Amino acid sequence: MSRSLLVLLLITAGGVAAGFFLQKNYESATASTGKKSATGKLSAQDLAPLTGMDPNASPAGEGGDLQVNILQSQIEYLEEQNQLLQSENSQLIDQLAALRGKPGGSTSTPTPSPAPMACAPDASTEKGSAPDPDFAGIGMELLKIRGITDIPIPTALVPPAEVEKRISKWLSTQFAADHGRKQGRALAALGAIPRPVDTIALKAAFLSYQIGGWYDASDATLYLAQGVDAIGPAKENAMALSYGYLFKQKGSTLFPPNTKPLTLDARLGRESILAGDAAQLRFLHALQNPATGGGGGVGEDPDDPSRLVPIPNFLRELELLPFSMGLDFMQAMHSIGNWEQVDATYTRPPISSAELLDSQVYLQDVPFSLLPLEWPDISINGAQPFWNDTLGPIGVVLLLKQHIPEPVAAETVPGWLNDRLMVYENQNPGRDHVVWQSLWRDSNAADAFFGAMRTFVSNRLKDATPNPEPSAGVFQLEHKGRIIRLTRTHGGKGVLYVDAADLAVADEAFKKLSGS
């Protein structure tokens, strides 16, 4: 007989003997405590003496203390097992996400943030700081709230510079290499920012703080920015998680790579529905988790780390508005048709920030469209513009509020129908030439913008000299050799703004584009 068979027989015999012994004790106990229930089964009163939970029995005594100690030991053991299972489950979720998130199931993704091992001291706890949040668990909560069927994304805690690098890498698929520098020149020529900058580089740097993370589709990993001195986020940073999950689901639909760049206005509309959706998801998650929920985003505190980014105020607000204005817009969509209406917005994103300002404009039966604004030839003295863009109503407000009160700036935009900003290279040192045509709903709306723009220019160029012999219907200033003109066009419903470095360019722009 083999040794293993012998051991099996011994175990079986021991089990039979133990059963016989317990049966005898059971019969003795039932005989002394009373009869069985009418059904032949033990009643609750029958069970009480066997479990030590008889309410009529005194807890004192050696037998009672022993059973209490046994129960306490069992509870402690079960709690330890539950913690171990939770830790193992979190790690398995990360591993599954890594396998499912890459073609072929490659596991070459960066090491996900591990869950702290149960019954073992956590390093961050020993140092007096809170442990890293359970990003996989938070991800599952966000997916459930948002009604998205997906698995948690593997996460990696990295320095903010690494998040900025990932954002820059994605932006390079959206814009030409010189886009940021050209846009910076154009906005400086218009007066939106003090001096030329690389707008795309600053966008990546600022978003690394505002979002606090980035989902990189190339390795299916959500990179989360660490705090100061490489410490993990104090809160869950649900903004980065919400944005990351939504970007994974919707990003390629809103922003297909290597396509014709959108105008500033059109891109603002698309950025706002994604940022607004993420802001709403973060808000809902914070309601369910008031102690730790939320997190992420920049503040208005002068000591906020995002202040380290040397971004002009116009560009800073341009990046912040999608999260606030988009939140209002997406909350309106959710109130109309829950998440189904929110999802439908991605299939027909707003074409202009005008639709974000008033959700009814977006929802009207006839979709909003821009009033055409074209010329047969836009060359000035034989040169084509190096920048051709549309600011949109939000861009107009952000521009005007740099030098006039915000309420006055905001009152000018409800009648906006279209605008076109064209900037031509100045062959001499100094700002480039600006030609900006806008169209308005009626002459009253055009009048409001004309007056606001005149105040804007006068406040920005306080030492400018008015034209001693102004033409009828034309506002003109001269400033350090530059010619600034404002006039009405398109039957009183348009406003043409020209800021040129010399008189010849200003005259040519007026002659060709104003129709006069």
Side-chain angles (χ1 to χ4, degrees):
M1 181 180 295
S2 65
R3 179 178 298 179
S4 59
L5 182 59
L6 179 61
V7 171
L8 179 59
L9 289 174
L10 290 174
I11 292 174
T12 304
V16 172
F20 179 77
F21 175 77
L22 289 174
Q23 175 67 20
K24 287 296 184 181
N25 285 346
Y26 163 73
E27 291 176 353
S28 174
T30 53
S32 62
T33 58
K35 298 180 181 180
K36 296 182 182 179
S37 64
T39 60
K41 298 180 181 179
L42 290 177
S43 65
Q45 293 180 347
D46 296 329
L47 289 173
L50 298 180
T51 59
M53 299 298 290
D54 183 3
N56 299 319
S58 173
E62 181 179 354
D65 291 341
L66 178 61
Q67 293 197 17
V68 169
N69 291 337
I70 292 174
L71 285 174
Q72 288 177 340
S73 299
Q74 290 177 336
I75 291 172
E76 291 175 359
Y77 171 76
L78 291 174
E79 287 179 345
E80 291 177 1
Q81 293 301 309
N82 181 53
Q83 292 175 356
L84 287 171
L85 288 173
Q86 287 180 341
S87 174
E88 183 179 1
N89 181 58
S90 178
Q91 294 178 10
L92 288 174
I93 288 174
D94 275 348
Q95 294 175 14
L96 175 61
L99 291 172
R100 292 276 298 276
K102 294 195 65 176
S106 173
T107 58
S108 60
T109 55
T111 304
S113 54
M117 291 297 294
C119 305
D122 182 78
S124 59
T125 303
E126 288 182 340
K127 295 178 182 179
S129 60
D132 292 341
D134 177 14
F135 296 120
I138 299 168
M140 293 180 67
E141 293 175 1
L142 293 172
L143 290 171
K144 182 179 179 180
I145 294 173
R146 185 57 177 79
I148 293 176
T149 302
D150 201 352
I151 59 174
I153 303 174
T155 58
L157 285 173
V158 296
E162 179 64 22
V163 174
E164 178 183 343
K165 176 183 174 183
R166 301 281 171 170
I167 297 175
S168 296
K169 173 185 165 186
W170 177 76
L171 288 174
S172 68
T173 69
Q174 301 289 301
F175 303 103
D178 60 350
H179 181 97
R181 294 188 297 274
K182 286 184 176 180
Q183 186 181 43
R185 285 176 57 187
L187 293 176
L190 181 62
I193 60 178
R195 62 190 63 83
V197 295
D198 187 339
T199 60
I200 299 304
L202 290 175
K203 183 183 184 76
F206 185 75
L207 288 181
S208 69
Y209 289 95
Q210 167 60 10
I211 299 175
W214 194 256
Y215 174 73
D216 193 333
S218 66
D219 54 17
T221 301
L222 179 55
Y223 292 87
L224 299 172
Q226 292 173 317
V228 181
D229 299 327
I231 298 173
K235 282 198 170 187
E236 298 171 344
N237 194 356
M239 174 60 78
L241 293 166
S242 300
Y243 197 98
Y245 279 95
L246 290 169
F247 184 81
K248 176 188 176 185
Q249 294 281 329
K250 314 289 189 180
S252 59
T253 300
L254 289 178
F255 308 108
N258 305 314
T259 57
K260 182 180 178 181
L262 299 167
T263 66
L264 183 149
D265 185 42
R267 189 171 188 90
L268 186 60
R270 294 182 177 228
E271 288 178 345
S272 294
I273 64 173
L274 182 60
D277 198 358
Q280 179 173 215
L281 184 55
R282 178 184 70 163
F283 172 73
L284 295 174
H285 182 262
L287 290 179
Q288 295 185 6
N289 302 271
T292 60
V298 303
E300 294 302 322
D301 190 331
D303 296 328
D304 189 274
S306 67
R307 297 290 180 180
L308 297 173
V309 181
I311 186 170
N313 190 55
F314 175 88
L315 295 175
R316 179 185 177 89
E317 293 189 82
L318 195 65
E319 299 303 331
L320 288 175
L321 271 175
F323 293 87
S324 57
M325 182 175 60
L327 172 60
D328 293 338
F329 179 80
M330 295 305 265
Q331 282 181 332
M333 297 300 103
H334 187 267
S335 66
I336 293 170
N338 295 320
W339 294 119
E340 290 79 6
Q341 180 63 45
V342 171
D343 287 331
T345 309
Y346 287 93
T347 63
R348 187 177 72 84
I351 66 170
S352 168
S353 58
E355 298 177 277
L356 301 173
L357 289 171
D358 184 357
S359 60
Q360 295 304 313
V361 174
Y362 174 80
L363 295 169
Q364 62 189 3
D365 293 336
V366 179
F368 177 80
S369 61
L370 300 177
L371 197 65
L373 189 52
E374 300 290 341
W375 296 270
D377 180 16
I378 59 174
S379 63
I380 303 295
N381 291 339
Q384 295 291 327
F386 73 82
W387 192 255
N388 194 340
D389 202 358
T390 298
L391 292 186
I394 293 299
V396 171
V397 173
L398 292 183
L399 170 69
L400 292 176
K401 69 177 289 191
Q402 304 306 311
H403 294 285
I404 69 174
E406 183 174 352
V408 178
E411 289 175 358
T412 64
V413 299
W416 178 94
L417 292 180
N418 201 354
D419 73 78
R420 191 164 173 185
L421 173 64
M422 296 174 287
V423 184
Y424 301 78
E425 184 176 5
N426 180 8
Q427 299 296 333
N428 301 312
R431 291 187 291 116
D432 295 298
H433 313 295
V434 174
V435 178
W436 187 25
Q437 175 72 62
S438 58
L439 294 179
W440 302 86
R441 179 181 57 224
D442 50 38
S443 60
N444 291 334
D447 280 341
F449 176 69
F450 186 96
M453 196 65 189
R454 181 172 56 193
T455 305
F456 168 86
V457 174
S458 299
N459 291 344
R460 184 169 69 92
L461 307 174
K462 295 183 181 297
D463 55 345
T465 303
N467 185 5
E469 299 179 358
S471 302
V474 177
F475 172 76
Q476 179 171 314
L477 295 176
E478 295 183 12
H479 183 259
K480 298 180 180 179
R482 296 186 70 90
I483 307 299
I484 297 94
R485 288 179 181 168
L486 269 171
T487 190
R488 302 290 291 276
T489 63
H490 296 77
K493 297 181 180 180
V495 177
L496 177 65
Y497 172 74
V498 174
D499 183 350
D502 59 67
L503 183 60
V505 173
D507 287 342
E508 176 71 9
F510 250 62
K511 178 181 178 181
K512 179 171 286 189
L513 302 178
S514 70
S516 60

